[in-house]
PDB file of all heavy atoms in Angstrom:
ATOM      1  N   GLY E 341     -50.963  37.822 -74.110  1.00 78.00           N
ATOM      2  CA  GLY E 341     -51.957  38.250 -73.206  1.00 78.00           C
ATOM      3  C   GLY E 341     -51.550  39.527 -72.530  1.00 78.00           C
ATOM      4  O   GLY E 341     -52.055  39.744 -71.385  1.00 78.00           O
ATOM      5  N   VAL E 342     -50.789  40.348 -73.122  1.00 83.00           N
ATOM      6  CA  VAL E 342     -50.419  41.585 -72.423  1.00 83.00           C
ATOM      7  C   VAL E 342     -50.884  42.739 -73.393  1.00 83.00           C
ATOM      8  O   VAL E 342     -51.063  42.622 -74.598  1.00 83.00           O
ATOM      9  CB  VAL E 342     -48.832  41.711 -72.290  1.00 83.00           C
ATOM     10  CG1 VAL E 342     -48.339  40.601 -71.414  1.00 83.00           C
ATOM     11  CG2 VAL E 342     -48.116  41.755 -73.645  1.00 83.00           C
ATOM     12  N   GLN E 343     -51.043  43.940 -72.737  1.00 87.00           N
ATOM     13  CA  GLN E 343     -51.260  45.083 -73.505  1.00 87.00           C
ATOM     14  C   GLN E 343     -50.020  45.938 -73.438  1.00 87.00           C
ATOM     15  O   GLN E 343     -49.405  46.211 -72.554  1.00 87.00           O
ATOM     16  CB  GLN E 343     -52.414  45.925 -72.735  1.00 87.00           C
ATOM     17  CG  GLN E 343     -52.793  47.187 -73.573  1.00 87.00           C
ATOM     18  CD  GLN E 343     -53.924  47.924 -72.821  1.00 87.00           C
ATOM     19  OE1 GLN E 343     -54.682  47.304 -72.198  1.00 87.00           O
ATOM     20  NE2 GLN E 343     -53.979  49.216 -72.991  1.00 87.00           N
ATOM     21  N   SER E 344     -49.617  46.381 -74.721  1.00 92.00           N
ATOM     22  CA  SER E 344     -48.298  47.013 -74.835  1.00 92.00           C
ATOM     23  C   SER E 344     -48.427  48.422 -74.088  1.00 92.00           C
ATOM     24  O   SER E 344     -49.423  49.060 -73.998  1.00 92.00           O
ATOM     25  CB  SER E 344     -48.094  47.329 -76.302  1.00 92.00           C
ATOM     26  OG  SER E 344     -46.994  48.165 -76.537  1.00 92.00           O
ATOM     27  N   GLY E 345     -47.268  48.707 -73.536  1.00 94.00           N
ATOM     28  CA  GLY E 345     -47.099  50.044 -72.819  1.00 94.00           C
ATOM     29  C   GLY E 345     -46.352  51.128 -73.707  1.00 94.00           C
ATOM     30  O   GLY E 345     -46.010  52.177 -73.261  1.00 94.00           O
ATOM     31  N   HIS E 346     -46.245  50.830 -74.948  1.00 95.00           N
ATOM     32  CA  HIS E 346     -45.539  51.729 -75.879  1.00 95.00           C
ATOM     33  C   HIS E 346     -46.298  53.051 -75.864  1.00 95.00           C
ATOM     34  O   HIS E 346     -45.578  54.181 -76.051  1.00 95.00           O
ATOM     35  CB  HIS E 346     -45.426  51.141 -77.283  1.00 95.00           C
ATOM     36  CG  HIS E 346     -44.449  49.944 -77.341  1.00 95.00           C
ATOM     37  ND1 HIS E 346     -44.361  49.197 -78.447  1.00 95.00           N
ATOM     38  CD2 HIS E 346     -43.678  49.466 -76.424  1.00 95.00           C
ATOM     39  CE1 HIS E 346     -43.548  48.236 -78.212  1.00 95.00           C
ATOM     40  NE2 HIS E 346     -43.100  48.362 -76.992  1.00 95.00           N
ATOM     41  N   GLY E 347     -47.643  53.053 -76.057  1.00 95.00           N
ATOM     42  CA  GLY E 347     -48.359  54.294 -76.009  1.00 95.00           C
ATOM     43  C   GLY E 347     -48.137  55.199 -74.768  1.00 95.00           C
ATOM     44  O   GLY E 347     -47.968  56.311 -74.863  1.00 95.00           O
ATOM     45  N   GLN E 348     -48.153  54.510 -73.611  1.00 95.00           N
ATOM     46  CA  GLN E 348     -47.825  55.208 -72.336  1.00 95.00           C
ATOM     47  C   GLN E 348     -46.499  55.761 -72.339  1.00 95.00           C
ATOM     48  O   GLN E 348     -46.220  56.887 -71.836  1.00 95.00           O
ATOM     49  CB  GLN E 348     -48.101  54.247 -71.238  1.00 95.00           C
ATOM     50  CG  GLN E 348     -47.780  54.788 -69.730  1.00 95.00           C
ATOM     51  CD  GLN E 348     -48.683  55.864 -69.410  1.00 95.00           C
ATOM     52  OE1 GLN E 348     -49.721  56.160 -70.095  1.00 95.00           O
ATOM     53  NE2 GLN E 348     -48.498  56.523 -68.302  1.00 95.00           N
ATOM     54  N   ARG E 349     -45.510  54.953 -72.796  1.00 97.00           N
ATOM     55  CA  ARG E 349     -44.202  55.493 -72.864  1.00 97.00           C
ATOM     56  C   ARG E 349     -44.049  56.661 -73.735  1.00 97.00           C
ATOM     57  O   ARG E 349     -43.380  57.626 -73.415  1.00 97.00           O
ATOM     58  CB  ARG E 349     -43.221  54.416 -73.341  1.00 97.00           C
ATOM     59  CG  ARG E 349     -41.725  54.780 -73.387  1.00 97.00           C
ATOM     60  CD  ARG E 349     -40.846  53.694 -73.797  1.00 97.00           C
ATOM     61  NE  ARG E 349     -41.156  53.126 -75.027  1.00 97.00           N
ATOM     62  CZ  ARG E 349     -40.581  51.895 -75.528  1.00 97.00           C
ATOM     63  NH1 ARG E 349     -39.819  51.181 -74.864  1.00 97.00           N
ATOM     64  NH2 ARG E 349     -40.911  51.481 -76.771  1.00 97.00           N
ATOM     65  N   ASP E 350     -44.701  56.646 -74.951  1.00 96.00           N
ATOM     66  CA  ASP E 350     -44.693  57.826 -75.846  1.00 96.00           C
ATOM     67  C   ASP E 350     -45.285  59.118 -75.230  1.00 96.00           C
ATOM     68  O   ASP E 350     -44.832  60.243 -75.331  1.00 96.00           O
ATOM     69  CB  ASP E 350     -45.421  57.430 -77.124  1.00 96.00           C
ATOM     70  CG  ASP E 350     -44.748  56.501 -78.034  1.00 96.00           C
ATOM     71  OD1 ASP E 350     -43.520  56.292 -77.855  1.00 96.00           O
ATOM     72  OD2 ASP E 350     -45.371  55.911 -78.832  1.00 96.00           O
ATOM     73  N   ARG E 351     -46.377  58.933 -74.391  1.00 96.00           N
ATOM     74  CA  ARG E 351     -46.958  60.014 -73.748  1.00 96.00           C
ATOM     75  C   ARG E 351     -45.947  60.531 -72.614  1.00 96.00           C
ATOM     76  O   ARG E 351     -45.891  61.832 -72.432  1.00 96.00           O
ATOM     77  CB  ARG E 351     -48.277  59.537 -73.071  1.00 96.00           C
ATOM     78  CG  ARG E 351     -49.407  59.385 -74.030  1.00 96.00           C
ATOM     79  CD  ARG E 351     -50.734  59.126 -73.355  1.00 96.00           C
ATOM     80  NE  ARG E 351     -50.823  57.861 -72.626  1.00 96.00           N
ATOM     81  CZ  ARG E 351     -51.266  56.770 -73.224  1.00 96.00           C
ATOM     82  NH1 ARG E 351     -51.585  56.812 -74.536  1.00 96.00           N
ATOM     83  NH2 ARG E 351     -51.270  55.617 -72.521  1.00 96.00           N
ATOM     84  N   LEU E 352     -45.290  59.682 -71.912  1.00 96.00           N
ATOM     85  CA  LEU E 352     -44.362  60.100 -70.844  1.00 96.00           C
ATOM     86  C   LEU E 352     -43.221  60.837 -71.538  1.00 96.00           C
ATOM     87  O   LEU E 352     -42.778  61.933 -71.071  1.00 96.00           O
ATOM     88  CB  LEU E 352     -43.858  58.998 -70.105  1.00 96.00           C
ATOM     89  CG  LEU E 352     -44.920  58.245 -69.174  1.00 96.00           C
ATOM     90  CD1 LEU E 352     -44.258  56.983 -68.629  1.00 96.00           C
ATOM     91  CD2 LEU E 352     -45.316  59.124 -68.038  1.00 96.00           C
ATOM     92  N   ALA E 353     -42.769  60.348 -72.735  1.00 96.00           N
ATOM     93  CA  ALA E 353     -41.633  61.019 -73.361  1.00 96.00           C
ATOM     94  C   ALA E 353     -42.075  62.458 -73.939  1.00 96.00           C
ATOM     95  O   ALA E 353     -41.310  63.347 -73.821  1.00 96.00           O
ATOM     96  CB  ALA E 353     -41.111  60.172 -74.516  1.00 96.00           C
ATOM     97  N   GLY E 354     -43.316  62.479 -74.377  1.00 94.00           N
ATOM     98  CA  GLY E 354     -43.744  63.726 -74.855  1.00 94.00           C
ATOM     99  C   GLY E 354     -43.977  64.824 -73.760  1.00 94.00           C
ATOM    100  O   GLY E 354     -43.551  65.963 -73.923  1.00 94.00           O
ATOM    101  N   LEU E 355     -44.458  64.400 -72.613  1.00 94.00           N
ATOM    102  CA  LEU E 355     -44.542  65.199 -71.450  1.00 94.00           C
ATOM    103  C   LEU E 355     -43.123  65.677 -70.973  1.00 94.00           C
ATOM    104  O   LEU E 355     -42.890  66.817 -70.559  1.00 94.00           O
ATOM    105  CB  LEU E 355     -45.267  64.535 -70.301  1.00 94.00           C
ATOM    106  CG  LEU E 355     -46.769  64.324 -70.448  1.00 94.00           C
ATOM    107  CD1 LEU E 355     -47.195  63.386 -69.340  1.00 94.00           C
ATOM    108  CD2 LEU E 355     -47.480  65.679 -70.535  1.00 94.00           C
TER     109      LEU E 355
END
Side-chain angles (χ1 to χ4, degrees):
V342 303
Q343 180 178 333
S344 172
H346 293 171
Q348 175 69 4
R349 181 174 61 190
D350 291 342
R351 285 190 290 272
L352 292 172
L355 288 172

